[in-house]
Amino acid sequence: MPSFVSSLIASTWLRVLARIVLTFAFWGSGLSKLIDFPNGVAEMARYGLEPAIAFNIASIVTLLVGSALVILDRMAWLGAGALAVFTVLTIPIVHHFWTMTGEEAMIHFFFATEHVSLIGGLMVAAILSGSRKRSVPRQNNPSLLRTV
């Protein structure tokens, strides 16, 4: 691997940016549901999730807290796990392509397969966070950015 690529991969800012980008869909959705709360509640009701207000609140908390844990690399395994479970649940609730036909089924199939890939990315983030923390003693990493 070229040295500039190695240096780039080892850089703190790229690791933080990668976690922000990985979680973009989650914190973006959480902020959207928070900022436009009535629309978030309507979305929950549209998919049969009642009480819709409680499901919207639970979604906001899961999406924002899970994203923050991954981005800050604090209990990233928990944040990634929560986001992965949330993502898995959207497949039978929202993207149940096997009950659809034609173009609608195809579109939801693509969403479902993208969700599976995103879950894989969350798994990698949790694995890398855990393996890096095991290999670097905590006393050598007093600041947040040095542990990233």
Side-chain angles (χ1 to χ4, degrees):
M1 170 182 326
S3 63
F4 79 92
V5 173
S6 181
S7 295
L8 183 64
I9 290 172
S11 68
T12 298
W13 70 267
L14 185 65
R15 291 177 186 195
V16 173
L17 178 62
R19 291 194 305 270
I20 291 170
V21 170
L22 174 63
T23 58
F24 175 76
F26 300 109
W27 56 261
S29 178
L31 287 174
S32 173
K33 287 172 179 28
L34 179 63
I35 293 166
D36 188 0
F37 195 83
N39 193 44
V41 172
E43 180 184 16
M44 298 301 143
R46 184 170 46 252
Y47 293 112
L49 300 171
E50 295 292 346
I53 290 174
F55 275 98
N56 194 48
I57 292 169
S59 294
I60 291 167
V61 171
T62 302
L63 294 166
L64 296 180
V65 173
S67 295
L69 292 173
V70 172
I71 291 168
L72 298 173
D73 199 15
R74 300 291 186 226
M75 294 194 309
W77 62 270
L78 180 61
L83 295 174
V85 169
F86 180 91
T87 305
V88 164
L89 291 174
T90 65
I91 296 172
I93 294 170
V94 178
H95 303 296
H96 44 90
F97 60 89
W98 55 92
T99 67
M100 302 170 186
T101 59
E103 187 174 341
E104 181 184 29
M106 183 179 65
I107 290 169
H108 283 276
F109 173 76
F110 290 142
F111 274 114
T113 58
E114 288 174 358
H115 282 29
V116 172
S117 295
L118 185 54
I119 292 165
L122 291 165
M123 293 166 69
V124 170
I127 290 165
L128 291 175
S129 175
S131 66
R132 185 188 46 74
K133 288 180 179 178
R134 282 190 303 276
S135 67
V136 180
R138 182 58 90 186
Q139 65 271 18
N140 291 340
N141 291 310
S143 77
L144 169 66
L145 291 179
R146 281 193 220 143
T147 64
V148 177

